[in-house]
Amino acid sequence: SGLDPVTPAPAVSLAQRGVRDPFVLYLGRIDPNKGCGDLVQHFMRFKADEPGPARLVMAGPASMPIPDHPDIVPLGFVDEATRAALLS
């Protein structure tokens, strides 16, 4: 078997998707059974107590409503290049 050389992923602009530093990343299926409802509630309480630039970025298919909040960025399903940019 052979291996294909790794081709660098194209540059992804996270800013165009509403993502800016600093942020907390949740990556995966957005589901209340995975604790996402609690995560959102805790984050909103944190922001009420500690206003600042931090955002919660949620990347993945959602099976629950995500509140409309200026510091919560729902991205939905993301491609591999965007996923790699978020993780870096």
Side-chain angles (χ1 to χ4, degrees):
S1 73
L3 298 174
D4 291 328
V6 175
T7 306
V12 172
S13 173
L14 295 177
Q16 290 177 337
R17 307 274 317 256
V19 178
R20 61 171 165 69
D21 286 333
F23 65 89
V24 176
L25 175 64
Y26 175 84
L27 183 61
R29 190 178 75 245
I30 301 168
D31 189 294
N33 293 324
K34 295 181 85 176
C36 294
D38 292 336
L39 172 64
V40 168
Q41 288 178 353
H42 289 303
F43 181 78
M44 288 175 32
R45 188 170 51 239
F46 166 75
K47 291 299 290 190
D49 293 342
E50 299 288 332
R55 290 180 146 192
L56 173 61
V57 176
M58 302 184 84
S63 62
M64 61 176 263
I66 300 172
D68 185 23
H69 188 280
D71 292 317
I72 298 177
V73 182
L75 297 179
F77 178 81
V78 296
D79 58 26
E80 283 296 319
T82 303
R83 180 183 177 277
L86 288 166
L87 290 171
S88 69

